Amino acid sequence: MIISRRLVVAFASLLCLAALLPAVGARADNPIVRHIYTADPAPLVFNGRVYLYTGHDEDGSTFFTMREWRVWSSADMVNWTDHGSPMNLATFSWASSDAWAGQAIFRNGKFYWYVPVRMANGSNAIGVGVADSPTGPFRDALGRPLIQNAEIDPTVYIDDDGQAYLYYGNPRLWFVRLNSDMISFSGSPTQIPLTTAGFGTRTGDANRPTLYEEGPWFYRRNGLYYMVFAAKCCSEFIAYSTSSSPTGPWTYRGTIMPTQGASFTNHAGLIDFNGGSYFFYHNGALPGGGGFTRSVAVEKFTYNGDGTIPTINMSTGGAPQIGTLNPYVRQEAETLAQSNGIETEPASEGGMNIGWIDNGDWTKTKGVAFGTGAASFTARVASAGSGGNIEVRLDSATGTVVGTCTAPGTGGWQTWTTITCPVNNTTGTHDLYLRFTGGINLNWWQFTPTGGGGGGNILTNGNTESGTTGWSAFGGTLSSNTSVVHDGTRSLAITGRTASWNGPSQNVTANLTNGKSYTTSVWVRTQSGTPSAKATLAYTVNGTTNYLALTPAAAVNSGGWTQLSGTATVSWTGTLSSATFYVETTSGTDSFYIDDVSLQ
Ligand code: FUB
């Protein structure tokens, strides 16, 4: 909790509170979480989303006072969903304090989260939580520590040959080879020689002759092994070493992120996602932030041609958004690019809700694609008080009000009701701000498009949440899929394609308007392969079939979702006998998924 109604009561001085408040309308997307302090980011790419595992610095900490870990996720790198705390110190009955820096990984259908904690005897140990879902809940996999040698900061990686490695340590650097069950290891913990050739030279500290301090992040990329680490406390910078083998010898490669910001520690996590490379770290950039009140941020970067990593500086801008956010499907209130004043808590209906809202608090969701416009805004609200208003604003917290919804008192903060109000002037893509007056909890929101059916979306079941309803296979086999989704709980899968034009299709003859400019958006992900995909309209006029490219072709892959989008005018002279929307590839017959499709 950084700013809250409780604090408003507790803090006698309004001046003091004002000093804590982030600037209204601030444009920065870093730090990526603003309603609590977060630290020690560990990203994991799974099923087209980035799951981010962090620690949680308590408000006003004067040490690393950390009692729980938190999970966040995003498909676009700017709007992050708060999944709450699925693991805390109580998960490990043998732990007493210090829920510090860990990392989670997927194997055997389960998620394993390795974390350091302090035991009752004052010594550090590494435990492992296990869950069936990336967002937990996690339980103690062993009922005892996995490793007990007074060290911290585990990092885990599964090599191409299936061998998993757990590196960890401060002040020394160790590794073990994990067995395939991920909760036991072979042999004994092995210490990596901390040579200056391997980890750089530190001066002035006879006990630590190299730069290695803590927070290792171990992975392999294009055949090269990387050991990214926090260097030379204090203040730390992020440096790295590389090796041609998973266990060294290591060669020091220099600084990635120089010492910057108000936190004297830093801690890195690197991933490739959706064709880009991302560097997560923490700093003290939030109001009230510092060495024990840290916040996680992210930068996009490009590896040099030889695999070396460029210098990356902390920014307030953050990573660019991947695609846009669809307002015509349910969006969680706790999916946030920024916020001011709100907090989150577990919702009785599942997931989280935002709450502890005071007059003027707001949330920002970035890059919301309204297309031809929304007719109404629907919100799931609760209030133990007399309710309040949700102002729907565009592009800033003081931006144009396009609608106002009034929430009633519902008799309880978890007694939910659904409210709807008209909105206008929402065409195009905007940052959406919900600004509150009164005392309201918000669980989720969704817009209804003008003209019904999806922002003017003429496709039936464009969000694919109703299975294959409305859709056909234009060659190949179409099925509804629940394991790889872009949004919601379902996508469409096309398999058995025998020609590049085979794909999911929909008959739109009855809904097509002659001379209209249509905007198309479709999210595509392959099951394997990296073909170019595009959306096409085949329409037959006076017996002749024409093919209109609705989107340019773009490379798609199996590692994440790619948004195809474009605008094209459909016009004809004569009699339109049929019109079919379909998604195809420019060549190849790879199986693929589509989700959140609109033609409007
Ligand atoms: O968050 C507590 C400790 O601070 C972590 O374990 C270290 O990596 C440093 O970030």
Side-chain angles (χ1 to χ4, degrees):
M1 166 179 73
I2 295 167
I3 313 294
S4 75
R5 190 155 58 218
R6 288 181 186 132
L7 270 180
V8 173
V9 173
F11 277 62
S13 163
L14 281 176
L15 204 59
C16 182
L17 178 66
L20 290 171
L21 286 166
V24 171
R27 293 172 58 89
D29 292 325
N30 269 337
I32 59 179
V33 176
R34 291 169 175 251
H35 54 282
I36 62 169
Y37 296 113
T38 52
D40 304 324
L44 169 69
V45 176
F46 181 75
N47 262 356
R49 287 185 81 78
V50 177
Y51 289 87
L52 182 64
Y53 299 80
T54 72
H56 174 194
D57 283 345
E58 296 293 330
D59 288 2
S61 285
T62 53
F63 182 61
F64 299 110
T65 309
M66 305 170 79
R67 305 185 185 111
E68 63 176 16
W69 295 272
R70 304 281 298 216
V71 183
W72 319 83
S73 76
S74 177
D76 65 9
M77 300 304 288
V78 297
N79 294 303
W80 290 90
T81 303
D82 183 344
H83 297 287
S85 173
M87 193 165 86
N88 59 37
L89 287 174
T91 305
F92 303 99
S93 60
W94 44 271
S96 62
S97 63
D98 297 358
W100 287 2
Q103 186 183 348
I105 200 165
F106 176 71
R107 188 171 210 175
N108 308 329
K110 297 201 182 304
F111 297 83
Y112 297 90
W113 195 353
Y114 302 87
V115 288
V117 291
R118 187 175 293 257
M119 299 185 295
N121 66 7
S123 181
N124 287 99
I126 291 168
V128 52
V130 63
D132 298 325
S133 143
T135 56
F138 286 81
R139 61 186 185 281
D140 186 353
L142 289 168
R144 58 176 168 76
L146 172 69
I147 293 168
Q148 212 174 319
N149 65 352
E151 296 275 18
I152 62 171
D153 289 5
T155 175
V156 62
Y157 180 74
I158 303 170
D159 208 349
D160 289 355
D161 63 1
Q163 177 62 59
Y165 297 87
L166 192 79
Y167 270 90
Y168 58 95
N170 173 357
R172 296 159 292 176
L173 178 61
W174 305 76
F175 76 90
V176 292
R177 287 186 174 83
L178 291 171
N179 296 328
S180 58
D181 65 7
M182 300 300 276
I183 57 172
S184 62
F185 55 87
S186 300
S188 302
T190 303
Q191 213 174 315
I192 291 289
L194 289 178
T195 62
T196 54
F199 296 91
T201 304
R202 181 187 319 219
T203 53
D205 187 343
N207 293 323
R208 290 189 186 247
T210 78
L211 294 171
Y212 179 82
E213 184 78 29
E214 59 181 355
W217 184 263
F218 172 61
Y219 64 100
R220 179 184 187 179
R221 189 176 188 278
N222 294 339
L224 190 63
Y225 295 88
Y226 292 77
M227 186 68 69
V228 179
F229 56 92
K232 194 177 182 288
C233 189
C234 294
S235 294
E236 292 175 346
F237 59 96
I238 301 295
Y240 76 115
S241 307
T242 61
S243 176
S244 57
S245 142
T247 57
W250 294 93
T251 302
Y252 182 61
R253 295 292 180 189
T255 300
I256 300 175
M257 176 170 276
T259 301
Q260 287 165 359
S263 166
F264 63 88
T265 65
N266 198 350
H267 193 112
L270 292 83
I271 51 164
D272 285 347
F273 175 63
N274 216 60
S277 297
Y278 296 89
F279 181 90
F280 290 79
Y281 59 98
H282 70 219
N283 60 24
L286 275 190
F292 303 116
T293 42
R294 300 163 291 179
S295 293
V296 166
V298 64
E299 310 293 342
K300 189 176 184 186
F301 74 100
T302 305
Y303 285 85
N304 298 320
D306 61 359
T308 55
I309 301 175
T311 302
I312 301 170
N313 289 305
M314 297 182 183
S315 84
T316 53
Q321 183 171 13
I322 299 170
T324 52
L325 188 124
N326 183 356
Y328 303 118
V329 297
R330 168 178 159 159
Q331 296 291 349
E332 298 304 316
E334 67 274 17
T335 297
L336 303 163
Q338 278 190 33
S339 63
N340 182 54
I342 61 96
E343 295 177 43
T344 62
E345 62 185 349
S348 61
E349 299 183 317
M352 305 286 281
N353 63 261
I354 64 168
W356 301 100
I357 287 168
D358 297 299
N359 282 339
D361 289 354
W362 50 262
T363 62
K364 171 188 170 184
T365 313
K366 187 167 176 165
V368 178
F370 289 102
T372 52
S376 63
F377 172 77
T378 296
R380 187 76 169 158
V381 296
S383 174
S386 55
N389 286 337
I390 305 174
E391 297 165 0
V392 181
R393 293 175 179 262
L394 299 185
D395 299 323
S396 94
T398 53
T400 309
V401 178
V402 297
T404 301
C405 260
T406 298
T410 61
W413 293 115
Q414 293 293 328
T415 306
W416 298 99
T417 191
T418 303
I419 58 171
T420 297
C421 57
V423 294
N424 50 51
N425 297 327
T426 59
T427 53
T429 297
H430 297 272
D431 295 344
L432 170 69
Y433 286 75
L434 303 180
R435 192 166 182 273
F436 305 94
T437 58
I440 316 169
N441 281 359
L442 177 63
N443 192 5
W444 54 260
W445 55 264
Q446 179 169 353
F447 286 84
T448 302
T450 51
N457 190 358
I458 64 170
L459 297 173
T460 300
N461 184 25
N463 64 13
T464 74
E465 294 302 299
S466 302
T468 56
T469 301
W471 293 92
S472 304
F474 205 20
T477 304
L478 189 70
S479 61
S480 178
N481 178 277
T482 54
S483 57
V484 180
V485 300
H486 173 257
D487 237 338
T489 58
R490 289 176 179 274
S491 65
L492 292 177
I494 186 93
T495 55
R497 298 171 68 238
T498 56
S500 65
W501 51 266
N502 287 180
S505 69
Q506 189 163 137
N507 185 333
V508 293
T509 318
N511 298 326
L512 215 56
T513 303
N514 196 356
K516 181 174 157 112
S517 171
Y518 282 95
T519 299
T520 303
S521 172
V522 52
W523 290 86
V524 183
R525 181 174 175 165
T526 61
Q527 296 177 17
S528 62
T530 53
S532 283
K534 59 182 179 174
T536 305
L537 184 76
Y539 60 110
T540 303
V541 178
N542 297 338
T544 301
T545 300
N546 311 278
Y547 298 92
L548 178 69
L550 295 171
T551 70
V556 294
N557 61 72
S558 60
W561 290 91
T562 301
Q563 185 179 31
L564 309 178
S565 59
T567 303
T569 300
V570 185
S571 60
W572 64 87
T573 305
T575 305
L576 178 76
S577 55
S578 77
T580 302
F581 168 93
Y582 62 103
V583 182
E584 59 179 330
T585 55
T586 53
S587 62
T589 56
D590 306 83
S591 299
F592 61 85
Y593 305 101
I594 65 168
D595 201 352
D596 296 322
V597 198
S598 59
L599 176 65
Q600 56 191 17

